[in-house]
Amino acid sequence: MRSRRVGIATFYRMLHEHGTATAALAALPEVAAGAGVTDYRPCPEGVATKEMKAARQAGARMVCIGTPDYPAALLDVPDAPPILWMIGDIQVLQRPMVALVGARNASSLGLRMARNMAAELAEAGYVVVSGLARGIDAAAHRASLDSGTVAVMAGGADVLYPAENAALGTELTANGLRLSEMPMGLQPMARNFPRRNRLISGLARALVVIEAAAKSGSLITARTALDQGRDVLAVPGHPFDARAAGGNLLIRDGAMLVRSAQDVIDALPQPIATEPQHSFDLSPAPPGASRSFQETAALHSDILDRLSPAPVAEDQLIRDLPHARNLIAPSITRLELLGRVRRHAGGLLARVSGD
């Protein structure tokens, strides 16, 4: 996961094609060379060792997909992180979760709503999930500290951001959890917030939007939640308040209007008792037929021709191409390694600008 140009889809694809992490690492330079990258080197062992040392110093625990402590809710997310760093009480992940998100510059009424809803959800046995941002996020975390809350980080799990919420981020680990897929020590960057948001919605049974502008990260999270099959609910606001425009738009487009935690609880589907699933298939894929350089180049060209800088779903791309799926997927991996295709949150692909 720390190797250059290896994203989540490439990680899983390499393991599926080669069976083990050792074999996948050994094959990376050859795969990159096939994509035209002749000087490719996987992540040096020292980099990974340094990150693990930093995690020990921060009291973080590595939780990998396929293990009992991995959040079960993320197993049905298409781009579930193979590795998560966690600081705090991981037992909160065994309880039902509801995500509360909203504006950073929230109004007094919005903050009051966030505090009341989070406290009432916590009292009803739900874990509140949010992003530790100022405003609605911070209010929701503070109101549910005693029962446990989960903060999903856009940077490393050990990086408390923003600084004004550093004390809150430390305090919540007593009964709750800070969680991140990012390397330890990584400072938050703008491009990583949408990736973080898909985990906020993915962990939860439902997402509640409390105050959000018409163009905001909260609405991106809401769209991601819908793609993941999660329920989206919104608190209405005054039409003249720009901070309520996003929530009102969601309600207009079909999101459930909620006024209290009880409305949220009543809207949640009843859980179905099932045995937890912690395994996933990493058996090697059957070998594909050999293809000539010209055939491979033509397939790469077809893929790039179908893509643009605007992200499109990988499944849609595969359906649109007149080639076998088992030929397209490895070619996408090679184009990612070559830097000609970029993968976005939610399993979306885009052509790199200028290509």
Side-chain angles (χ1 to χ4, degrees):
M1 275 304 297
R2 301 302 182 242
S3 293
R4 182 165 55 107
R5 293 175 177 166
V6 174
I8 290 173
T10 303
F11 176 93
Y12 288 129
R13 192 171 293 140
M14 292 294 292
L15 281 184
H16 179 64
E17 291 176 1
H18 300 281
T20 67
T22 301
L25 274 171
L28 262 177
E30 181 181 353
V31 172
V37 181
T38 56
D39 60 345
Y40 188 89
R41 297 289 183 274
C43 172
E45 182 178 340
V47 173
T49 302
K50 182 179 179 181
E51 181 176 345
M52 297 187 77
K53 181 179 179 181
R56 287 194 296 271
Q57 292 174 342
R61 178 175 175 181
M62 176 190 283
V63 176
C64 299
I65 194 166
T67 62
D69 290 328
Y70 192 87
L74 292 181
L75 293 177
D76 60 357
V77 173
D79 48 357
I83 299 165
L84 291 168
W85 287 114
M86 302 183 185
I87 300 177
D89 181 8
I90 65 174
Q91 294 306 311
V92 296
L93 296 173
Q94 305 303 317
R95 291 157 51 196
M97 288 176 266
V98 173
L100 300 185
V101 298
R104 288 174 170 81
N105 62 332
S107 68
S108 295
L109 282 175
L111 294 174
R112 180 180 172 186
M113 173 63 77
R115 288 192 295 267
N116 290 348
M117 187 172 290
E120 292 170 10
L121 285 170
E123 187 177 351
Y126 291 90
V127 173
V128 172
V129 183
S130 200
L132 200 62
R134 62 177 60 92
I136 296 297
D137 290 21
H141 286 308
R142 285 195 183 95
S144 53
L145 279 175
D146 292 341
S147 62
T149 180
V150 174
V152 185
M153 318 292 285
D158 57 335
V159 178
L160 293 169
Y161 176 88
E164 66 194 67
N165 287 342
L168 173 61
T170 299
E171 189 177 357
L172 68 80
T173 58
N175 298 314
L177 185 70
R178 296 204 311 267
L179 173 154
S180 178
E181 66 179 315
M182 298 299 171
M184 299 297 296
L186 180 72
Q187 294 294 322
M189 293 178 282
R191 69 173 181 266
N192 290 334
F193 282 92
R195 293 183 60 185
R196 182 277 305 269
N197 292 348
R198 87 190 193 287
L199 299 184
I200 292 176
S201 57
L203 285 167
R205 292 185 179 181
L207 175 85
V208 183
V209 177
I210 305 173
E211 287 194 343
K215 295 182 179 179
S216 65
S218 296
L219 259 65
I220 295 174
T221 310
R223 287 194 292 269
T224 302
L226 290 172
D227 291 341
Q228 294 168 338
R230 305 301 190 251
D231 289 323
V232 174
L233 309 94
V235 175
H238 196 285
F240 287 170
D241 189 344
R243 290 169 294 196
N248 290 341
L249 283 172
L250 289 173
I251 293 169
R252 184 199 68 182
D253 293 339
M256 179 172 289
L257 184 155
V258 291
R259 304 155 298 170
S260 66
Q262 190 58 52
D263 285 345
V264 177
I265 295 169
D266 290 343
L268 290 174
Q270 293 299 311
I272 301 173
T274 57
E275 288 295 320
Q277 299 294 320
H278 301 297
S279 62
F280 59 107
D281 183 18
L282 284 183
S283 56
S290 60
R291 294 169 60 82
S292 69
F293 174 81
Q294 289 81 3
E295 290 173 322
T296 301
L299 177 53
H300 286 187
S301 179
D302 286 347
I303 292 171
L304 293 173
D305 286 345
R306 295 275 183 170
L307 291 173
S308 73
V312 65
E314 181 176 3
D315 284 346
Q316 183 63 52
L317 172 67
I318 291 174
R319 285 196 296 269
D320 288 345
L321 288 166
H323 302 277
R325 188 184 186 97
N326 66 327
L327 297 177
I328 299 171
S331 293
I332 292 174
T333 298
R334 295 188 180 94
L335 290 169
E336 284 185 86
L337 292 171
L338 189 56
R340 303 180 74 183
V341 169
R342 180 175 295 120
R343 188 171 294 274
H344 295 263
L348 302 178
L349 297 172
R351 184 168 175 166
V352 175
S353 298
D355 184 32

